[in-house]
Amino acid sequence: IIALNNTTGTLSINNSNAIVKLSWTSPLVKGDVNSDVTMNHPLYLDSNQVVNVTNTAGVILNGNGQTIIFNNSSGPQFVIQENVPVVLENITLANINQDTFNIKPGGQLLIGPNTTFEFSENVTFSSGTFDVMDSPDGAVCTFVSLSGNNVVSFVDQAVLNLGNNTLRLEDVELGSILNINYGASNLIELASGANVDIDGDTGEAI
Protein backbone atom coordinates (compact mmCIF):
# COMPACT_ATOMS: atom_id res chain seq x y z
CA ILE A 1 0.00 0.00 0.00
CA ILE A 2 1.43 3.37 -1.02
CA ALA A 3 0.06 6.61 0.43
CA LEU A 4 1.17 10.23 -0.03
CA ASN A 5 0.53 12.71 2.77
CA ASN A 6 0.13 16.02 0.90
CA THR A 7 0.59 18.03 4.09
CA THR A 8 3.95 16.61 5.12
CA GLY A 9 5.12 15.39 1.73
CA THR A 10 5.75 11.94 3.22
CA LEU A 11 5.31 8.85 1.06
CA SER A 12 4.54 5.72 3.09
CA ILE A 13 5.02 2.25 1.61
CA ASN A 14 3.48 -0.59 3.60
CA ASN A 15 4.26 -4.10 2.41
CA SER A 16 2.85 -5.69 5.60
CA ASN A 17 6.38 -6.35 6.80
CA ALA A 18 7.84 -2.86 6.93
CA ILE A 19 6.98 0.78 6.43
CA VAL A 20 9.42 2.95 4.47
CA LYS A 21 9.05 6.74 4.52
CA LEU A 22 10.44 8.89 1.72
CA SER A 23 10.48 12.61 2.48
CA TRP A 24 9.58 15.12 -0.24
CA THR A 25 9.66 18.88 0.15
CA SER A 26 8.51 21.24 -2.58
CA PRO A 27 11.33 23.42 -3.97
CA LEU A 28 8.99 26.35 -3.36
CA VAL A 29 9.55 26.09 0.40
CA LYS A 30 13.05 24.58 0.59
CA GLY A 31 14.61 28.04 0.61
CA ASP A 32 14.76 31.10 -1.64
CA VAL A 33 13.13 30.45 -5.03
CA ASN A 34 15.60 31.55 -7.71
CA SER A 35 14.79 29.23 -10.61
CA ASP A 36 11.74 28.04 -12.53
CA VAL A 37 9.45 25.54 -10.80
CA THR A 38 6.89 23.12 -12.27
CA MET A 39 4.56 21.60 -9.70
CA ASN A 40 3.53 17.94 -9.72
CA HIS A 41 1.58 17.93 -6.45
CA PRO A 42 -0.68 20.36 -4.61
CA LEU A 43 1.15 22.34 -1.94
CA TYR A 44 -0.42 22.92 1.49
CA LEU A 45 1.65 25.52 3.32
CA ASP A 46 2.18 25.24 7.06
CA SER A 47 1.90 28.46 9.05
CA ASN A 48 5.70 28.81 9.15
CA GLN A 49 6.31 28.17 5.44
CA VAL A 50 6.93 30.98 2.95
CA VAL A 51 7.39 31.07 -0.81
CA ASN A 52 10.17 33.67 -1.14
CA VAL A 53 11.05 34.57 -4.75
CA THR A 54 14.41 36.31 -5.13
CA ASN A 55 15.74 36.08 -8.71
CA THR A 56 15.65 39.50 -10.40
CA ALA A 57 16.04 37.74 -13.78
CA GLY A 58 12.59 36.26 -13.24
CA VAL A 59 11.01 32.98 -12.18
CA ILE A 60 8.27 30.96 -13.90
CA LEU A 61 5.93 29.09 -11.57
CA ASN A 62 4.01 26.55 -13.64
CA GLY A 63 1.37 24.96 -11.46
CA ASN A 64 0.73 22.22 -14.01
CA GLY A 65 -2.91 22.30 -12.90
CA GLN A 66 -2.04 22.12 -9.18
CA THR A 67 -2.98 24.39 -6.26
CA ILE A 68 -1.04 26.24 -3.56
CA ILE A 69 -3.20 26.44 -0.44
CA PHE A 70 -2.10 29.09 2.04
CA ASN A 71 -2.45 28.55 5.77
CA ASN A 72 -4.36 31.79 6.35
CA SER A 73 -1.77 32.76 8.93
CA SER A 74 -1.19 36.33 10.12
CA GLY A 75 2.08 36.74 8.19
CA PRO A 76 3.00 36.77 4.48
CA GLN A 77 3.39 33.42 2.76
CA PHE A 78 4.14 34.57 -0.80
CA VAL A 79 6.96 37.12 -0.90
CA ILE A 80 8.28 38.76 -4.06
CA GLN A 81 11.51 40.62 -3.43
CA GLU A 82 12.46 43.97 -4.96
CA ASN A 83 12.46 44.14 -8.78
CA VAL A 84 11.61 40.44 -9.13
CA PRO A 85 9.16 39.32 -11.86
CA VAL A 86 7.21 36.12 -11.22
CA VAL A 87 5.22 34.37 -13.96
CA LEU A 88 2.20 32.35 -12.80
CA GLU A 89 0.56 29.86 -15.15
CA ASN A 90 -1.73 26.85 -14.89
CA ILE A 91 -2.13 27.36 -11.16
CA THR A 92 -4.65 28.13 -8.43
CA LEU A 93 -3.64 30.16 -5.38
CA ALA A 94 -6.16 29.39 -2.65
CA ASN A 95 -7.11 30.77 0.77
CA ILE A 96 -5.60 34.22 0.11
CA ASN A 97 -6.06 36.75 2.91
CA GLN A 98 -4.90 40.32 3.54
CA ASP A 99 -1.46 39.15 4.71
CA THR A 100 -0.72 36.42 2.15
CA PHE A 101 1.25 38.52 -0.36
CA ASN A 102 4.21 40.76 0.37
CA ILE A 103 5.28 42.37 -2.90
CA LYS A 104 8.35 44.57 -2.49
CA PRO A 105 8.95 47.72 -4.61
CA GLY A 106 9.36 46.80 -8.26
CA GLY A 107 7.95 43.32 -7.75
CA GLN A 108 5.75 41.96 -10.53
CA LEU A 109 3.19 39.18 -10.89
CA LEU A 110 2.92 38.21 -14.56
CA ILE A 111 -0.32 36.27 -14.84
CA GLY A 112 -0.32 33.63 -17.54
CA PRO A 113 -3.09 31.30 -18.75
CA ASN A 114 -5.31 29.30 -16.40
CA THR A 115 -4.45 31.26 -13.27
CA THR A 116 -6.98 31.57 -10.45
CA PHE A 117 -6.85 33.55 -7.21
CA GLU A 118 -9.19 32.34 -4.44
CA PHE A 119 -9.78 34.86 -1.61
CA SER A 120 -10.88 33.97 1.92
CA GLU A 121 -11.52 37.62 2.94
CA ASN A 122 -11.42 41.20 1.64
CA VAL A 123 -7.97 41.97 0.22
CA THR A 124 -6.51 45.34 -0.75
CA PHE A 125 -3.24 45.35 -2.69
CA SER A 126 -1.17 48.53 -2.33
CA SER A 127 2.11 47.51 -4.00
CA GLY A 128 3.27 45.49 -6.97
CA THR A 129 2.38 45.31 -10.64
CA PHE A 130 -0.07 42.62 -11.75
CA ASP A 131 0.16 42.04 -15.51
CA VAL A 132 -2.19 39.64 -17.27
CA MET A 133 -0.04 38.36 -20.11
CA ASP A 134 -1.50 38.52 -23.60
CA SER A 135 -2.02 35.27 -25.47
CA PRO A 136 -3.38 34.55 -28.99
CA ASP A 137 -6.73 33.44 -27.57
CA GLY A 138 -6.84 36.04 -24.80
CA ALA A 139 -5.91 34.92 -21.31
CA VAL A 140 -8.51 34.59 -18.57
CA CYS A 141 -7.55 35.55 -15.02
CA THR A 142 -10.10 34.45 -12.42
CA PHE A 143 -10.81 35.92 -8.98
CA VAL A 144 -12.96 33.72 -6.73
CA SER A 145 -14.45 34.47 -3.31
CA LEU A 146 -14.39 31.57 -0.85
CA SER A 147 -16.54 33.31 1.77
CA GLY A 148 -19.32 35.54 0.49
CA ASN A 149 -18.74 38.55 -1.73
CA ASN A 150 -15.18 39.44 -0.80
CA VAL A 151 -13.84 42.79 -2.03
CA VAL A 152 -10.56 42.84 -3.98
CA SER A 153 -8.97 46.26 -4.57
CA PHE A 154 -5.82 47.71 -6.12
CA VAL A 155 -4.76 51.04 -4.58
CA ASP A 156 -1.71 53.29 -4.12
CA GLN A 157 1.25 51.70 -5.97
CA ALA A 158 -0.58 48.49 -6.92
CA VAL A 159 -1.68 48.31 -10.57
CA LEU A 160 -3.59 45.61 -12.45
CA ASN A 161 -2.85 45.62 -16.18
CA LEU A 162 -5.42 43.49 -17.98
CA GLY A 163 -4.24 44.03 -21.54
CA ASN A 164 -6.55 42.47 -24.14
CA ASN A 165 -7.66 39.75 -21.77
CA THR A 166 -10.55 38.73 -19.55
CA LEU A 167 -10.89 39.14 -15.80
CA ARG A 168 -13.52 36.73 -14.51
CA LEU A 169 -15.07 37.52 -11.12
CA GLU A 170 -16.90 34.79 -9.19
CA ASP A 171 -18.69 36.11 -6.08
CA VAL A 172 -16.05 38.88 -5.91
CA GLU A 173 -16.57 42.63 -5.77
CA LEU A 174 -13.85 44.58 -7.56
CA GLY A 175 -13.39 47.46 -5.12
CA SER A 176 -12.21 50.09 -7.58
CA ILE A 177 -11.21 50.44 -11.22
CA LEU A 178 -8.92 53.44 -10.69
CA ASN A 179 -5.71 51.36 -10.68
CA ILE A 180 -6.75 49.01 -13.46
CA ASN A 181 -5.55 49.43 -17.05
CA TYR A 182 -7.40 47.93 -20.00
CA GLY A 183 -6.65 46.96 -23.56
CA ALA A 184 -8.81 47.62 -26.60
CA SER A 185 -10.58 44.24 -26.35
CA ASN A 186 -10.52 43.63 -22.61
CA LEU A 187 -13.52 42.11 -20.81
CA ILE A 188 -14.56 41.90 -17.16
CA GLU A 189 -16.83 38.89 -16.83
CA LEU A 190 -19.21 38.92 -13.86
CA ALA A 191 -20.44 35.57 -12.56
CA SER A 192 -22.26 34.29 -9.48
CA GLY A 193 -23.15 37.62 -7.86
CA ALA A 194 -19.93 39.46 -8.73
CA ASN A 195 -19.89 43.23 -9.17
CA VAL A 196 -17.62 46.20 -9.79
CA ASP A 197 -17.47 49.34 -7.63
CA ILE A 198 -16.54 52.23 -9.92
CA ASP A 199 -14.93 54.43 -7.25
CA GLY A 200 -15.93 52.99 -3.87
CA ASP A 201 -14.04 52.91 -0.61
CA THR A 202 -11.47 50.17 -0.09
CA GLY A 203 -10.31 48.19 2.89
CA GLU A 204 -7.07 48.30 4.85
CA ALA A 205 -4.10 48.15 2.47
CA ILE A 206 -1.34 45.57 2.58
Side-chain angles (χ1 to χ4, degrees), residues 1-4 10-21:
I1 299 173
I2 300 176
L4 174 65
T10 298
L11 182 67
S12 298
I13 305 174
N14 187 348
N15 65 0
S16 299
N17 295 316
I19 295 178
V20 179
K21 289 187 176 181

Side-chain angles (χ1 to χ4, degrees), residues 18 57 64 66 74 89 126 188:
N64 199 27
Q66 303 295 334
S74 59
E89 56 188 26
S126 63
I188 295 181

Side-chain angles (χ1 to χ4, degrees), residues 85-97:
V86 179
V87 176
L88 300 176
E89 56 188 26
N90 306 310
I91 192 168
T92 297
L93 304 179
N95 212 26
I96 298 168
N97 71 6

Side-chain angles (χ1 to χ4, degrees), residues 48-173:
N48 62 345
Q49 291 181 311
V50 176
V51 178
N52 182 40
V53 191
T54 59
N55 189 349
T56 55
V59 166
I60 298 173
L61 174 49
N62 185 346
N64 199 27
Q66 303 295 334
T67 301
I68 297 177
I69 302 174
F70 300 105
N71 189 265
N72 218 1
S73 65
S74 59
Q77 291 198 286
F78 199 112
V79 179
I80 301 176
Q81 297 296 335
E82 289 188 16
N83 302 315
V84 171
V86 179
V87 176
L88 300 176
E89 56 188 26
N90 306 310
I91 192 168
T92 297
L93 304 179
N95 212 26
I96 298 168
N97 71 6
Q98 180 65 36
D99 298 310
T100 299
F101 284 94
N102 182 358
I103 304 175
K104 303 294 180 66
Q108 292 179 285
L109 269 180
L110 306 175
I111 302 168
N114 306 314
T115 298
T116 299
F117 297 81
E118 297 184 349
F119 298 90
S120 62
E121 65 179 18
N122 297 343
V123 172
T124 299
F125 296 103
S126 63
S127 65
T129 301
F130 299 73
D131 290 329
V132 181
M133 301 170 65
D134 288 334
S135 67
D137 299 325
V140 177
C141 172
T142 303
F143 289 176
V144 177
S145 175
L146 298 177
S147 56
N149 288 96
N150 289 322
V151 180
V152 178
S153 303
F154 297 83
V155 303
D156 298 335
Q157 302 304 310
V159 177
L160 174 62
N161 296 313
L162 291 175
N164 295 311
N165 303 294
T166 297
L167 174 63
R168 177 178 171 85
L169 305 178
E170 298 182 7
D171 286 319
V172 166
E173 176 182 338

